[in-house]
């Protein structure tokens, strides 16, 4: 049983691998803890369940178009609602259907099946049910991911599914290490090791593999972290030269994560290539090449400035995430990587799941879901006029601050 975010799993004991997040990441803004989210009207709930049952039945339809439409509907439902009780007794049937879609489907159908599988595992949580889903489909995910003839979209979805499901439900260290090795083989093949060139094909696939690998790195035991620090992290710097801005940024964030983990296990990353790495990061933090898109250059410079600041001085740019009446702080690269991974899978549903999904609240140390009565909900709502006043004041303050900075720039010039 695995520890997540410094919290004990339901009915379990803390797991020795997973590092605990520091306390104090949640600020309660006036709500009181209680059970779970309030149920809707019985009639509407039954109607929604009937539609879900129909979509699940359609996964076995002979028409590929019908199966894809069903997968799209399930993806939307699973990402926007918490349905663990409904899915608990139907997980085996749904797992079998998703297995058939992954085996016999093509391209888009396989990609959607991988995403729905990830969401199913997220709904089931880190208990025996989630572990059962992960164990049953792990070989198939690895098979599709490593199949060079499969569509890039399907391989990308399986890379995300393998990382997320392993993070959520893997109970054995052996599963964790095998998933790390498989993902590493995707974003860093033998020809792209130390001194090699960065991969140029299937940029999104490499991004998904690297994101999943770095996510699993956050729950590795210290012994495995030390083996990564010894030599395997040197496969990351070549990715900074990739033609894909997304892969460059993700590689930089992963390098910062490796440095953070090295601090946690009290290991020194002083290596003969470390100075060269810092020089690379400085170039990326100040790059102004015109052949790159303006928005890409701006985003890259901003992120690599934060990465360079952390590596040189240990300072992390804290970020606040607000959802409902709560907020949490992302104050480490490990915490940021975890949040970004779940956000990519859940999309706009991330806020709902942070409020109501017990697994996510356990991972981020948010405590039990909050229940608000009607009076508290009404008091929490801000009128349109109040929002307008707040936005106007914020805009005015931002303009003044930027004007002062521009004046200083003018003085320097």
């Amino acid at each position: 049983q695995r520890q997540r975010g410094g919290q004990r799993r339901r009915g379990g004991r803390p797991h020795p691998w997973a590092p605990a997040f520091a306390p104090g990441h949640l600020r309660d803004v006036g709500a009181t803890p209680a059970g779970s989210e309030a149920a809707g009207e019985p009639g509407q709930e039954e109607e929604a369940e009937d539609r879900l049952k129909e979509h699940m039945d359609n996964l076995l339809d002979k028409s590929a178009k019908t199966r894809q439409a069903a997968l799209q509907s399930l993806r939307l439902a699973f990402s926007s609602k918490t349905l663990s009780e409904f899915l608990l007794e139907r997980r085996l049937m749904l797992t079998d259907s998703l297995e058939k879609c992954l085996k016999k489907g093509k391209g888009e159908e396989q990609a959607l099946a991988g995403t729905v599988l990830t969401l199913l595992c997220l709904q089931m949580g880190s208990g025996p049910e989630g572990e059962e889903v992960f164990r049953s489909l792990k070989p198939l995910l690895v098979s599709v991911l490593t199949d060079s003839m499969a569509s890039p979209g399907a391989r990308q979805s399986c890379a995300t599914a393998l990382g997320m499901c392993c993070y959520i439900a893997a109970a054995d260290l052996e599963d964790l290490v095998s998933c790390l090795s498989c993902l590493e083989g995707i974003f860093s093949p033998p020809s792209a090791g130390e001194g090699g060139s960065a991969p140029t094909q299937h940029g999104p696939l490499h991004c998904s593999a690297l994101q999943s690998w770095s996510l699993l790195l956050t729950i590795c035991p210290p012994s495995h972290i030390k083996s990564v620090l010894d030599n395997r992290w040197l496969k990351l710097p070549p990715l900074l030269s990739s033609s894909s801005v997304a892969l460059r940024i993700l590689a930089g964030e992963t390098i910062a994560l490796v440095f953070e983990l090295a601090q946690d296990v009290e290991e020194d990353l002083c290596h003969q290539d470390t100075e060269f790495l810092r020089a690379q990061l400085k170039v990326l933090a100040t790059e102004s090449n015109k052949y790159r898109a303006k928005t890409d250059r701006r985003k890259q410079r901003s992120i690599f400035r934060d990465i360079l600041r952390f590596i040189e001085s240990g300072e992390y740019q804290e970020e606040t995430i607000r959802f409902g009446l709560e907020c949490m702080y992302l104050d480490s690269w490990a915490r940021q990587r975890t949040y970004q991974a779940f956000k990519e899978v859940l999309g706009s549903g991330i806020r709902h799941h942070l409020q109501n999904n017990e697994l996510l609240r356990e991972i981020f140390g948010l405590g039990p879901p909050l229940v608000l009565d009607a009076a508290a909900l009404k008091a929490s709502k801000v009128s349109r006029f109040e929002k307008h006043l707040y936005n106007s004041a914020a805009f005015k303050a931002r303009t003044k601050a930027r004007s002062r900075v521009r004046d200083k720039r003018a003085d320097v010039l």
Side-chain angles (χ1 to χ4, degrees):
Q1 303 257 342
R2 178 173 303 185
Q3 184 184 11
R4 292 282 190 247
Q7 302 289 322
R8 289 177 181 267
R9 277 175 42 183
R10 220 170 25 249
R13 54 185 175 80
H15 198 285
W17 321 336
F21 289 128
H25 292 295
L26 168 67
R27 180 169 61 200
D28 186 353
V29 198
T32 53
S36 58
E37 60 182 315
E41 293 294 329
Q44 295 177 345
E45 194 173 328
E46 289 179 10
E47 185 180 348
E49 288 185 0
D50 288 341
R51 285 199 298 270
L52 284 173
K53 291 174 185 176
E54 183 180 350
H55 296 322
M56 292 167 71
D57 290 338
N58 286 341
L59 294 180
L60 301 176
D61 196 271
K62 292 183 179 179
S63 167
K65 189 174 181 181
T66 301
R67 294 195 302 272
Q68 287 186 30
L71 287 167
Q72 287 276 20
S73 299
L74 290 174
R75 179 182 63 81
L76 181 61
F78 291 1
S79 62
S80 59
K81 301 175 184 176
T82 44
L83 302 164
S84 53
E85 292 185 7
F86 171 80
L87 293 171
L88 190 61
E89 60 187 23
R90 299 171 177 83
R91 69 184 186 282
L92 297 180
M93 180 191 72
L94 182 55
T95 301
D96 289 342
S97 300
L98 292 174
E99 183 178 5
K100 291 176 182 176
C101 291
L102 282 168
K103 279 183 176 178
K104 300 179 180 179
K106 302 292 182 184
E108 180 66 17
E109 183 180 345
Q110 287 180 305
L112 286 169
T115 302
V116 173
L117 171 62
T118 304
L119 293 168
L120 173 62
C121 203
L122 194 152
Q123 294 275 356
M124 290 295 94
S126 54
E129 297 83 6
E131 184 184 350
E132 182 182 26
V133 171
F134 169 63
R135 279 291 184 88
S136 62
L137 289 184
K138 178 194 168 189
L140 185 54
L141 290 175
V142 171
S143 174
V144 176
L145 174 59
T146 54
D147 182 5
S148 59
M149 301 304 292
S151 76
R155 296 179 69 192
Q156 181 185 352
S157 177
C158 287
T160 300
L162 185 65
M164 290 291 291
C165 293
C166 181
Y167 179 88
I168 292 169
D172 296 333
L173 180 58
E174 184 180 345
D175 286 328
L176 177 64
V177 173
S178 66
C179 288
L180 279 165
S181 178
C182 177
L183 292 163
E184 185 177 332
I186 299 298
F187 73 80
S188 179
S191 60
E194 189 174 357
S197 58
T200 55
Q201 295 182 339
H202 306 315
L205 169 61
H206 290 85
C207 286
S208 295
L210 180 56
Q211 184 176 50
S212 292
W213 184 82
S214 58
L215 174 68
L216 295 182
L217 211 59
T218 64
I219 58 169
C220 278
S223 58
H224 194 77
I225 292 292
K226 289 179 180 179
S227 72
V228 171
L229 299 178
D230 285 341
N231 51 21
R232 294 164 74 179
W233 78 276
L234 293 175
K235 296 181 179 181
L236 297 173
L239 300 178
L240 296 173
S241 304
S242 170
S243 59
S244 165
V245 64
L247 187 57
R248 290 197 302 274
I249 290 173
L250 192 53
E253 291 176 339
T254 305
I255 289 170
L257 172 63
V258 169
F259 271 78
E260 182 177 85
L261 295 173
Q263 293 176 3
D264 292 342
V265 297
E266 299 180 348
E267 286 286 317
D268 191 2
L269 269 186
C270 288
H271 188 276
Q272 58 183 357
D273 292 337
T274 305
E275 288 305 316
F276 177 71
L277 170 63
R278 291 182 180 179
Q280 270 188 295
L281 295 175
K282 285 179 181 177
V283 169
L284 292 167
T286 57
E287 187 176 42
S288 58
N289 292 323
K290 299 296 183 182
Y291 65 85
R292 299 204 194 278
K294 188 175 182 180
T295 53
D296 287 350
R297 293 200 308 269
R298 186 183 297 119
K299 183 179 180 182
Q300 175 181 293
R301 286 197 299 264
S302 173
I303 293 176
F304 275 96
R305 280 196 297 267
D306 292 340
I307 294 169
L308 190 61
R309 186 187 307 115
F310 176 78
I311 290 176
E312 291 183 339
S313 63
E315 295 179 17
Y316 179 82
Q317 187 69 34
E318 186 179 277
E319 183 181 355
T320 303
I321 305 297
R322 301 183 184 278
F323 50 97
L325 297 182
E326 300 170 86
C327 68
M328 70 176 182
Y329 303 109
L330 305 182
D331 59 359
S332 68
W333 291 104
R335 199 169 172 84
Q336 188 241 34
R337 165 54 56 234
T338 306
Y339 173 75
Q340 289 297 334
F342 280 99
K343 183 181 178 183
E344 184 169 315
V345 171
L346 292 168
S348 60
I350 182 68
R351 298 185 186 278
H352 172 84
H353 280 268
L354 282 173
Q355 288 178 278
N356 303 295
N357 188 305
E358 292 184 7
L359 173 69
L360 259 69
R361 295 187 68 85
E362 184 180 349
I363 288 172
F364 291 106
L366 301 176
L370 308 181
V371 169
L372 306 173
D373 56 25
L377 282 173
K378 187 176 180 180
S380 69
K381 290 184 179 178
V382 181
S383 69
R384 183 175 297 180
F385 180 66
E386 289 174 322
K387 284 182 182 178
H388 173 71
L389 291 178
Y390 173 79
N391 290 335
S392 298
F395 176 76
K396 187 175 181 180
R398 187 166 61 246
T399 303
K400 284 183 177 180
R402 288 178 176 173
S403 297
R404 286 195 295 270
V405 173
R406 288 179 184 132
D407 290 342
K408 288 179 182 178
R409 288 177 183 170
D411 292 340
V412 171
L413 293 174

